[in-house]
């Protein structure tokens, strides 16, 4: 990929305003930001990878610098194949640090040219996570300040669907 490109990998199940903040700030610094949705078979996601990709595309449809893709293999393989060196990750609290630091070292061990850039979470989103968004929504709380509009609409549909199937997650 030409220009100054960075990749922001994650589960995004679902995209939160904390992710949106990191994506927008990343896209200001780089020519192009690839948001890479990880297909993680170890987790039991609320949204399929395709649904997560579609939601992120919808939210950033007016920003040509932001590209969304999906991948199920090793991040460093995707980076090598697409000639991308920079990984962006967000840091919310000290609790994020250990895992993030480990991942950065492992990625660089596997791919010498890979560099991880950490962006500090914005104060107002430092407590926001996909898990919190799902939990408070399923208990009936308003998540307008926590997730973008298309995500909230999709959550309404998803939980409605789960409820009618008798599998409500609460
Ligand atoms: P993963 O399953 O890989 O942890 P997530 O979708 O939960 O993926 O998060 C992707 C990245 O975004 C991680 O680096 C995470 O620390 C960061 N992140 C998540 N929520 C926020 C937030 N509210 N503010 C800043 N960064 C965040």
């Amino acid at each position: 990929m030409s220009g100054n490109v960075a990749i922001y990998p994650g589960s995004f199940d679902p995209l939160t305003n904390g992710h949106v903040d990191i994506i927008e700030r990343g896209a200001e610094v780089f020519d192009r930001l690839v948001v890479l949705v990880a297909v993680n078979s170890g987790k039991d996601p609320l949204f399929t990878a395709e649904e997560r990709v579609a939601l992120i595309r919808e939210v950033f449809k007016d920003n040509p610098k932001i590209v969304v893709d999906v991948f199920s293999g090793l991040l460093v393989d995707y980076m090598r194949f697409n000639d991308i060196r920079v990984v962006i990750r967000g840091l919310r609290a000290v609790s994020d640090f250990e895992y993030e630091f480990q991942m950065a070292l492992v990625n660089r061990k596997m791919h010498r040219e890979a560099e991880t850039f950490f962006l500090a979470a914005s104060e107002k989103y430092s407590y926001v996570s996909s898990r919190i968004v799902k939990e408070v929504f399923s208990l009936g709380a308003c998540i307008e300040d926590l997730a973008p509009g298309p995500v909230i609409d999709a959550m309404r549909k998803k939980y409605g669907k789960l409820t009618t199937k008798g599998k409500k997650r609460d």
Side-chain angles (χ1 to χ4, degrees):
M1 234 175 250
S2 61
N4 218 346
V5 186
I7 193 159
Y8 179 45
S11 305
F12 307 109
D13 184 41
L15 181 77
T16 69
N17 282 345
H19 294 132
V20 169
D21 178 58
I22 296 288
I23 293 168
E24 284 175 344
R25 286 162 56 201
E28 273 182 31
V29 177
F30 291 89
D31 297 329
R32 183 170 292 234
L33 186 77
V34 181
V35 181
L36 191 69
V37 174
V39 181
N40 191 339
S41 54
K43 293 183 181 173
D44 178 23
L46 177 63
F47 291 99
T48 66
E50 291 70 27
E51 288 172 327
R52 286 177 264 152
V53 167
L55 281 171
I56 303 169
R57 284 205 178 122
E58 167 68 18
V59 171
F60 295 105
K61 61 178 189 290
D62 295 329
N63 191 336
K65 289 174 93 179
I66 299 166
V67 179
V68 189
D69 203 358
V70 60
F71 193 59
S72 62
L74 273 178
L75 175 64
V76 288
D77 287 340
Y78 184 96
M79 292 174 71
R80 255 194 223 103
F81 189 74
N82 291 286
D83 201 15
I84 301 173
R85 287 189 61 187
V86 176
V87 185
I88 287 187
R89 296 286 287 179
L91 278 184
R92 280 161 294 190
V94 181
S95 51
D96 276 343
F97 180 79
E98 200 172 331
Y99 174 73
E100 294 294 344
F101 188 57
Q102 207 173 22
M103 284 310 300
L105 293 183
V106 165
N107 284 335
R108 199 143 59 85
K109 174 93 186 147
M110 292 186 291
H111 180 21
R112 271 280 158 241
E113 291 181 356
E115 293 290 359
T116 303
F117 287 20
F118 294 110
L119 292 190
S122 293
E123 244 168 66
K124 59 179 176 174
Y125 300 126
S126 63
Y127 66 95
V128 179
S129 69
S130 298
R131 188 176 56 83
I132 286 291
V133 165
K134 285 183 278 196
E135 272 177 24
V136 300
F137 185 87
S138 71
L139 294 170
C142 170
I143 55 166
E144 229 124 87
D145 291 340
L146 310 184
V151 170
I152 298 174
D153 292 343
M155 299 264 295
R156 283 202 186 104
K157 283 191 198 132
K158 184 69 80 174
Y159 279 91
K161 216 157 111 192
L162 291 174
T163 307
T164 53
K165 274 186 184 168
K167 284 168 65 184
K168 194 175 173 203
R169 294 168 184 235
D170 61 6

